[in-house]
Amino acid sequence: MTRAAASARPALRPELCKGCNRCVDTCAQGCISPGGEVDPLTGLVPIDLSLDACTGCGLCVEACPEPWGLRFDDGAPPPAAAAAPRDLPGEQLPLPGGGALVLKGAHASAIGALLAGCRHFFGYPITPSTEGAELMARVLPGLGGHFVQAVSEVAAVNMIYGCGGAGLPAMTFTSSPGFSLMLEGISYLIGAEVPGVFVDVMRAGPGLGNIGPEQSDIKLLCRGLGHGNTRAIVLAPATPQEMLDFTLLAFRLAFAYRSPVMIAADGYLGQMTGRVHLPGALVRPGLPAWAVHGDAAHRPNLISSIHLAEVDLEAHNERLQAKYARMIDAEQRADLYRCEDAELLLVAANTPARMAKGAIRALRDEGIAAGLFRPQTLWPFPVRALRPLLERTAALLVVEASDGQLEDELRLALSHAGAGAGIPIHHVRRMGGVLPSQREIVAGARAALAGRARA
Amino acid sequence: MTTFYRRFERHDHAAGLKGETTHYCPGCGHGLIHKMIADAVEALGVQDRTIAISPVGCGVFLHYYLDVGNSQASHGRAPAVAIGHKLANPDAVVVSYQGDGDLASIGLAEILQAAQLALPITVIFVNNAIYGMTGGQLAPTTIMGQKTATSPRGRDRGMGQPLRMSELIAQIDGQAFVERVALFDARQRKRAARAVEKALRLQVEGRAFSFVEVLAECPTHLGLTPVEAERWVKEQMVPVFPLGVKKDLGADAAPPFEWPTPSFDPGRVLAALGGPAAAPERFCDGFPRTAFGDDVGLKLAGAGGDGAQTAALLLTKAAIQEGFDATHIPSYGPESRGGTSYADVRIAAEEVLSPAAPHPHVLVAFNAPSLARFGPEVAPGATVIYDSTVVPAPASLGPAAAVIGVPCTAIARELGQPMVKNVVAVGAVLGATGLFPAATLQRALRQALHARPALLPVNEAALARGIEAAGRRPAGGTPTPDR
Ligand code: SF4
């Protein structure tokens, strides 16, 4: 307390006085004067106090910028240490079964978020991701939730930081240019270990580009989540059903790892309508022990990514590295289609993976043993599932709607794993809002195998 | 003073004096403002509920000191972080603490939006007319003529005039309390303390957005002693940044904000999503035995208002309700510039592999450009249906097995509802290919029109007329325009 009983008098430990002298002139009784001696502990010159005439008015205390500088000793005992907060677990509430729903990918993802217990959406409209946001805007108010259209993607990601920091599931829908704007904030989320789910409905770039589908952000998602040593799980759905399932999963992973989780969707997938089954339960979220929730239990907590001392920041980085290692170990996911006997392995994610599936059927009809290796996590790349397939593989064919961003992930993963040496890697790529067509993939596959025959 | 940590453990592990003194320079205004916040929190009895958002700037280490929930924001974004916290837990008392670079430069958009939303959060804006932490550079609030590291000859016209944030915030509509205060003498400090307490109280009562700008001393970068700096603020800053209440439109009397309670009730959630889908009755007897195998591709193409997408969605829904897999992808690609909007539909017994239909088994063309563009691309043995009211009979479509003109537009006009020409076309698809029984699509129509039942009869009639019109066509390779 600044003020105290009239009889009380200010007290000062000289080593806590910085000698700013802001208090000196406030004392009408002249009790305070600039000091004359350097304090040996601080090297500063504290004030001189002589309190004979002090009336206890407290103006000097109000003038002192130091919390434990000039003050009335209120005699209050130091507060008892608060009990350490505990995790309040979430709950699964059963959903009645029913028939299949017919949903757009973006809507399926939004519904996944709602079923994951997300009641907070923060975003900025950007095509082709707006359908997801619009569903949230329609539904959230009726469920006691909050939809905030932020002033920009920069604000949106920081609202997620606040809401996630408070321990609640929060999300956004965005598309490539908006995702670029969010990267600084995502680095803060990773650094401060704040959960949040980002659905990036990737569109064609660079720059304003167009609103056609592209897998344009794979390098950002896997290698470029803002500044610093950042990594986050990147889920890559290929169907409306996976848009729902992966969004649900993303929230679970975000809280399990205290980390943002990315969902890489492409423009087609957001717009694609398909068959979607709801899960058997929805989630009522809990409240993690680490949250800064604004209540007594969580008062001791701090959400922050600043570690001023190099040793502290390095230790923090080491902790994050250990977390990334756990993700690499536990979260690799892949879908294998007709890989059992495949000598040509197509590698593709998102909608291009479906074009690739169509091509595989056509290739099989021609007698070519082709299979599809579909990473469902772009990071960590599911190299563990790929490795055993390589023994039979004569060639890899990466099918993607980008300039080779998926292929780079594949090559890095193979190289780190010391696998795949000698297996040629071919590609079918489209850019600019165009997906590789089945016909192009079939032609690419034939060429890949013909190349091998010549070699 | 229990709202301060007794020892500042986060300050370099509280080694030595760092456990009890701030990191601020001697005489810096920040410490005074921290104390005012601490006092207000204590007076209002909200220490457990308070969350302080530290900015980037000299106030970055606010969390060393205030024994409340703490969150550290990126540069300028503290109001956005505060909104996230407040909406997560409206019971929390959220204080965004920001300097002038943070709030009035890099974070302009965030603070203006926070003021516009006028949620009951509190912003404490420390204006000391300079960038402290980065070493004394020009701030948006640096006054004219003031020398800084990046205005070595003094702020001049080319650097713009100082920004008066309180006035800017005050002119935004909404329930808000905005006051500018100072710290340069005992009287100002008392006023400042009162303003901070009022700002927090308005939030605790849930009434208004509260914004307190504090003119503060940065003796270090003014190159002045703390006492000289107080005088500088009084003489140089106050004329530019007049003190006082800038807005208080009865904030005390504003009705408290009403906060919803989040619901996780499965019934309510399902209702919000349009109700649980009952497992539907099936009218098909196994996957349709067409000439197209177990993975049928359809393309519906026309101009913007032709209803190709709606028709495609109808077919997709109908297929899924029959227990098949189906997809629909709309395309408004570069073709739309030529007036073409097309939809790809795939229907598969088990799983749609590729959702695209570049070489469809069934093409529906609502206009001539669509037929010209997609007709030559159809799969061998395909069925092509075109609106013969508006599309002249094509010469030849190569591999297509059946090219059927159906006067979709004319039939729809006859029915008195030109909009239903797409449903006529859907009927024609059924009639020509036997893809689904009529009942499958009748159900899809009923569901699509459940909110507009008056339109159901004309749609059902359109479906029936389409089936009939195409069903009369003989299968064969010759184009057979209806008229
Ligand atoms: S640089 Fe200025 S604002 Fe920063 S601590 Fe020092 S006096 Fe305070």
Side-chain angles (χ1 to χ4, degrees), chain B residues 7 40 52 70 100 113 136 164 232 267 291 296 301 310-311 431 433 453 462 468-469:
Chain B
R7 285 193 69 77
N70 280 285
D100 41 44
Q113 183 178 35
R164 281 188 276 270
W232 187 87
V296 184
T310 321
T433 66
E468 182 198 322

Side-chain angles (χ1 to χ4, degrees), chain A residues 2 18 66 161 293 357, chain B residues 20 22 24 39 72 89 351:
Chain A
T2 303
K18 290 176 175 169
E66 284 296 315
Y161 180 92
H293 195 66
K357 265 192 177 177
Chain B
E20 290 177 287
T22 66
Y24 296 113
D39 282 348
Q72 205 287 310
N89 178 13
E351 181 197 358

Side-chain angles (χ1 to χ4, degrees), chain B residues 133-160:
Chain B
M133 191 188 224
T134 47
Q137 294 82 11
L138 183 86
T141 51
T142 293
I143 61 174
M144 296 310 285
Q146 186 183 340
K147 291 188 169 129
T148 72
T150 51
S151 61
R153 280 175 291 186
R155 181 172 208 142
D156 62 23
R157 190 176 154 189
M159 301 168 195

